[in-house]
Amino acid sequence: MKALAHPAREDLLIQSVLDALASPLRLRIVKRLAGGEELTCSTVLPDVSASTASRHWQVLRESGVLWARRDGRIILHILRREDLDSRFPGLLDAVLAAVDESDEEKSGSTAA
């Protein structure tokens, strides 16, 4: 089985991370993984085709946003929070806060 490639912490590039975070679907993945759990593809994206989901997971993994590991036939993913916070302090928190604000605006629950 093909090994899953991950960049080392010191090789993480801001442009790759920002590019990976530019997709609403990938932001949805990151928001879900921000809880600290190790999750499978289908747990996070049950409504997305396997091929589409696979590509999004690959972009996040290759940019250094998440770790992936095989466990039998499944792949488990976890956010690389410590690595991201070390390389780009505050970036992940700012992105997650912006996603939360955007979600609140869409639901109409923001205070005027």
Side-chain angles (χ1 to χ4, degrees):
M1 205 172 270
K2 185 178 171 186
L4 299 170
H6 301 86
R9 176 188 288 190
E10 60 273 7
D11 294 332
L12 298 181
L13 301 173
I14 189 69
Q15 58 270 38
S16 297
V17 171
L18 291 174
D19 187 48
L21 297 173
S23 161
L25 188 59
R26 291 192 291 267
L27 280 173
R28 186 170 128 197
I29 292 168
V30 169
K31 183 177 176 182
R32 181 71 191 276
L33 291 174
E37 292 180 83
E38 192 175 40
L39 301 171
T40 65
C41 300
S42 60
T43 302
V44 178
L45 300 174
D47 56 336
V48 177
S49 73
S51 61
T52 299
S54 177
R55 178 64 186 139
H56 287 290
W57 289 109
Q58 179 184 9
V59 168
L60 288 167
R61 179 176 44 79
E62 290 178 351
S63 68
V65 173
L66 58 81
W67 285 108
R69 71 174 181 89
R70 293 186 193 278
D71 185 13
R73 293 177 46 113
I74 63 170
I75 298 176
L76 295 163
H77 306 274
I78 192 164
L79 193 60
R80 290 179 67 174
R81 180 176 276 283
E82 186 177 316
D83 290 339
L84 292 168
D85 287 346
S86 173
R87 287 283 290 151
F88 315 112
L91 175 67
L92 192 55
D93 289 332
V95 167
L96 292 170
V99 170
D100 288 342
E101 287 176 17
S102 177
D103 289 347
E104 288 176 8
E105 288 171 3
K106 286 179 186 176
S107 68
S109 62
T110 57

